[in-house]
Amino acid sequence: MAVWALPLGAQNDPSSIQNYFTGKEVVLKIDMPGTQQGVDLRYNKDVPMNWKEYANRLKNNGVAIHKGDTARVTAVVLKDDRIEVQLDGGGFGTFGDDSDATVNPKTLDKSDYEKQLERQIANTTDPDEKRRLQRDLDRERSRRERQNADNRNAAQVASQIKAQQIAGKRLQGGSRFNLRWPGKIPADQKTPDAVMKLLADYVSFDGPQQAAAPPAMQNTGGDAAVPATAQLKRGMKMSDVTNLFGQGKQLSESVSGDGLKTQTVQYSSGDRRVEVTYVEGVVVRYSISSN
């Protein structure tokens, strides 16, 4: 199954799981939801995956890592009853992520002038004066209510914008697998080889080209003896990718609240379609599929 070499003693040392997996790249066999909840696999069940729960998380949070995408293991966390395998950051919604899309409107209180008019009306017995003061009060109240209505409308627009920003961050925040047991993790499951076997239906540890037919060679740059798709790596600059595949077609572009530009560009390589995600012009994710 796996081509990763296991270091001497790794299979017998539970603490080696973090060091062994962290930083390595895997290829996803399923779509991963854009949430820190990730995908739960429960090993007290005949079928570890709850497909209904999985479908709901995809529907509610979108896809952060697509089937066929290459992702990096950024952390492995062992707890009493589960092993968390975090990919590309572990999923949006972890500590420090603002997931509340609600923007509360600013509400204007009564002005001193409005309060003064109310007191004057209460203390005035002259009918004509009372009517005049009431007209002034009605105008002041209407002004305040119009301003509050404008503030509510502005807050609704701001909430929609924030919801879109959160949705975008979900798609860039990675995801995770949660390997769960009803009690403590069995000792024989605390090894790299055991974890790879448990994830074998959902993750490929053999590298991004393990199931791909040899793509057409490119003459636009790089090593002519190596397929262009095999030369694509995370961390490459956009100009280097353009040298490999030629000019691509931009599918999307966005700027995060932190000012980071994210672009998704599609390239053709023989009978292969290559989709690359850049952050600030650097490759952070890519997928390769048939045209």
Side-chain angles (χ1 to χ4, degrees):
M1 175 191 65
V3 298
W4 295 353
L6 294 174
L8 184 63
Q11 295 287 35
N12 299 316
D13 181 7
S15 65
S16 70
I17 293 179
Q18 292 98 330
N19 292 335
Y20 179 72
F21 285 106
T22 303
K24 288 185 168 63
E25 291 187 338
V26 299
V27 178
L28 276 303
K29 296 182 179 181
I30 62 172
D31 291 334
M32 297 296 293
T35 168
Q36 90 285 0
Q37 292 178 307
V39 173
D40 287 328
L41 301 173
R42 297 177 173 87
Y43 295 101
N44 61 330
K45 307 285 186 180
D46 292 336
V47 178
M49 172 77 87
N50 181 329
W51 291 102
K52 182 177 180 181
E53 176 186 74
Y54 167 75
N56 285 336
R57 289 182 183 176
L58 287 178
K59 180 179 179 180
N60 294 333
N61 301 285
V63 179
I65 310 173
H66 290 268
K67 177 182 177 181
D69 279 358
T70 300
R72 189 176 298 279
V73 179
T74 49
V76 178
V77 179
L78 276 74
K79 299 187 177 180
D80 287 343
D81 61 346
R82 68 183 181 273
I83 299 174
E84 298 176 2
V85 180
Q86 301 183 15
L87 305 172
D88 287 350
F92 182 83
T94 54
F95 179 77
D97 288 335
D98 182 6
S99 58
D100 184 3
T102 302
V103 176
N104 294 315
K106 179 182 179 181
T107 301
L108 290 182
D109 295 327
K110 292 181 181 180
S111 65
D112 291 340
Y113 178 50
E114 185 176 346
K115 294 175 183 178
Q116 177 185 342
L117 288 170
E118 289 176 338
R119 289 193 298 268
Q120 287 177 327
I121 290 172
N123 296 327
T124 298
T125 58
D126 185 302
D128 292 336
E129 180 67 9
K130 189 179 288 286
R131 282 192 294 270
R132 185 187 68 78
L133 292 170
Q134 186 63 52
R135 286 194 297 270
D136 291 344
L137 177 60
D138 291 342
R139 282 194 294 270
E140 182 64 12
R141 284 177 176 171
S142 295
R143 183 197 64 78
R144 177 166 57 85
E145 290 168 359
R146 285 195 302 271
Q147 185 61 58
N148 283 333
D150 289 343
N151 290 347
R152 287 193 295 270
N153 290 335
Q156 289 177 352
V157 172
S159 294
Q160 292 172 355
I161 293 173
K162 189 175 181 183
Q164 293 173 353
Q165 292 173 339
I166 290 173
K169 290 179 180 179
R170 286 190 181 281
L171 303 185
Q172 299 172 22
S175 193
R176 69 179 64 187
F177 286 98
N178 302 302
L179 286 60
R180 297 181 178 275
W181 287 265
K184 291 186 178 297
I185 305 171
D188 61 353
Q189 301 301 298
K190 294 182 179 181
T191 68
D193 190 55
V195 171
M196 286 191 284
K197 288 178 180 178
L198 293 171
L199 288 175
D201 289 338
Y202 316 99
V203 172
S204 171
F205 296 91
D206 295 340
Q209 299 303 310
Q210 44 107 20
M217 300 293 182
Q218 301 294 306
N219 296 317
T220 54
D223 188 344
V226 180
T229 50
Q231 298 179 53
L232 181 60
K233 303 292 182 185
R234 285 182 164 208
M236 292 180 67
K237 295 181 179 179
M238 183 181 290
S239 58
D240 295 330
V241 179
T242 302
N243 287 336
L244 283 176
F245 300 111
Q247 194 65 39
K249 175 185 177 183
Q250 182 163 293
L251 301 180
S252 66
E253 179 177 313
S254 63
V255 178
S256 72
D258 299 327
L260 296 178
K261 178 193 277 188
T262 298
Q263 298 165 277
T264 301
V265 181
Q266 181 177 290
Y267 304 90
S268 291
S269 176
D271 62 346
R272 298 287 162 184
R273 182 171 62 251
V274 183
E275 190 170 301
V276 181
T277 299
Y278 301 93
V279 173
E280 291 296 300
V282 175
V283 177
V284 297
R285 186 178 303 148
Y286 60 87
S287 63
I288 302 170
S289 58
S290 299
N291 280 322

